[in-house]
Amino acid sequence: VQLQASGGGLVQAGGSLRLSCAASGRAFRTLDMGWFRQAPGKERAYVAAISRYGSTYYEDSVKERFTISRDNAKNTVYLQVNNLKPEDTAVYSCAARTAYGLLSQPSQPSEYDYWGRGTLVTVSS
């Protein structure tokens, strides 16, 4: 599975972006997908996930501002990020899980088998 994230950029606080992650190499409908981010000098952190069945999961600090969605026809998962804050500055990466069974721990990086190169989101104050 190959993953390519895009859509990052420089935005002022309060602004919005839509991040995309295009997948190839396997039937997209069979993948659970996750978004993670890594801020400068910090560990990678979970943001959101969407199962192959469409169930969504969020890290508490973003659930009111971020929306994850998927378009199986376009082999793409999206992350709509609204009301951005400077602390949202990070490289955002997508990940894919191929295992059978329900996505029970969407926040755990170990659940995911494939990772894409990230896209940088910079939020200015």
Side-chain angles (χ1 to χ4, degrees), residues 5-9 15-21 35 67 69 71 74 76-82 84 119 121:
S6 61
S16 298
L17 288 171
R18 188 175 79 157
L19 308 183
S20 301
C21 173
W35 283 99
T67 303
S69 61
D71 185 336
K74 295 184 178 180
T76 300
V77 61
Y78 302 100
L79 186 69
Q80 178 70 39
V81 294
N82 298 328
L84 282 161
T119 186
V121 173

Side-chain angles (χ1 to χ4, degrees), residues 91-124:
V91 174
Y92 286 70
S93 300
C94 57
R97 174 181 180 271
T98 62
Y100 292 108
L102 294 176
L103 177 59
S104 59
Q105 300 186 76
S107 66
Q108 296 301 310
S110 60
E111 284 284 300
Y112 301 89
D113 310 291
Y114 298 93
W115 293 81
R117 299 181 67 176
T119 186
L120 175 63
V121 173
T122 303
V123 185
S124 63

Side-chain angles (χ1 to χ4, degrees), residues 4-83:
Q4 180 62 58
S6 61
L10 174 63
V11 62
Q12 290 187 329
S16 298
L17 288 171
R18 188 175 79 157
L19 308 183
S20 301
C21 173
S24 61
R26 180 170 171 137
F28 185 69
R29 67 182 186 281
T30 68
L31 302 175
D32 301 313
M33 301 297 296
W35 283 99
F36 290 76
R37 64 185 177 182
Q38 187 165 18
K42 295 189 177 181
E43 298 288 320
R44 181 171 56 192
Y46 164 72
V47 176
I50 185 166
S51 78
R52 63 198 70 181
Y53 307 110
S55 298
T56 58
Y57 311 86
Y58 296 94
E59 196 276 327
D60 286 345
S61 70
V62 307
K63 62 174 53 178
E64 300 299 323
R65 302 184 293 121
F66 292 9
T67 303
I68 190 170
S69 61
R70 63 190 296 156
D71 185 336
N72 289 346
K74 295 184 178 180
N75 297 336
T76 300
V77 61
Y78 302 100
L79 186 69
Q80 178 70 39
V81 294
N82 298 328
N83 190 20

